């Protein structure tokens, strides 16, 4: 995946309407009219969001001239998730380090308690 | 995670310099000067990117008045990945459906071949 493609994917995801459109499309293809229904938005406003999603390759349009149904394209989502996955090791690592730290603190506290008992 | 926080995280990730800064910070805390070194960028330009990362909660600044070292904060990355994970089931599902389709096509092709042989 090129840098530009990652930029476009993350930029497209940075809007709640566009994320909601993608969520709706996971349930099946839909026309612009069908997509606009649950949102209190004009068709041109929804079309504008769709254009951003299309440019990012997250949505494709069918050839049916009347409906031109929108379809979610999973590949860019997968690539963006793979980019984020690299950090999973990092944050899981940082939680591990936190665990180690807490365990160490616990040991020290019980050592102090035992020392006081003696 | 609020909608605004997800917006801010994805918007912050939509830039290659900011992604590179995060990648650098997974290797350890760094001052703005240290972060600026590998990039052909002025300190104010790097500071501007850092402000976006800070506002998104992806980077925090240390209290050392001289260096104010930058530290990566994993929580928003984790939350954004969790949001994307919901789609993993979807795209893995769509690959499963593709698998089913290819298997079906294969069966049909071999059935045709067998029919021709008879």
């Amino acid at each position: 995946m090129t840098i530009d493609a990652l930029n476009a994917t993350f930029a497209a995801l940075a809007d709640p309407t566009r994320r909601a459109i993608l969520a709706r499309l996971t349930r099946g293809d839909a026309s612009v009219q069908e997509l606009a229904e649950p949102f209190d938005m004009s068709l041109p406003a929804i079309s504008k969001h769709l254009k951003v999603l299309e440019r990012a390759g997250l949505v494709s349009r069918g050839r049916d001239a009347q409906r031109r149904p929108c379809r979610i394209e999973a590949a860019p989502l997968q690539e963006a998730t793979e980019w984020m996955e690299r950090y999973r090791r990092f944050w899981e690592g940082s939680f591990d380090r936190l665990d180690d730290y807490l365990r160490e603190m616990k040991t020290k506290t019980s050592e102090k308690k035992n020392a006081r008992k003696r």
Side-chain angles (χ1 to χ4, degrees), chain A:
Chain A
M1 192 179 221
T2 65
I3 286 169
D4 284 352
L6 266 182
N7 294 354
T9 303
F10 285 128
L13 294 177
D15 179 277
T17 306
R18 292 196 289 267
R19 290 198 301 275
I21 289 173
L22 290 177
R24 162 66 188 81
L25 291 176
T26 60
R27 303 206 316 272
D29 299 358
S31 68
V32 180
Q33 273 82 357
E34 287 165 335
L35 285 175
E37 268 166 31
F39 302 104
D40 197 19
M41 266 191 191
S42 66
L43 285 183
I46 290 288
S47 291
K48 219 168 162 184
H49 282 305
L50 277 171
K51 285 240 160 60
V52 177
L53 290 166
E54 274 185 80
R55 271 198 297 268
L58 289 160
V59 162
S60 65
R61 303 293 296 271
R63 296 192 167 215
D64 175 343
Q66 296 281 309
R67 286 181 73 238
R68 300 210 59 219
C70 303
R71 158 169 296 184
I72 187 170
E73 295 293 339
L77 283 173
Q78 188 171 11
E79 308 258 13
T81 306
E82 275 163 21
W83 185 87
M84 304 202 61
E85 285 285 326
R86 289 195 235 161
Y87 296 91
R88 179 185 293 274
R89 263 165 292 170
F90 167 73
W91 71 64
E92 282 177 351
S94 62
F95 287 139
D96 285 349
R97 284 198 296 280
L98 183 65
D99 274 352
D100 290 346
Y101 174 76
L102 292 175
R103 208 169 300 128
E104 202 183 311
M105 292 305 290
K106 238 179 182 172
T107 315
K108 274 186 187 162
T109 314
S110 61
E111 273 170 7
K112 268 186 195 164
K113 270 187 193 162
N114 288 339
R116 245 177 272 152
K117 274 182 197 164
R118 266 177 239 137

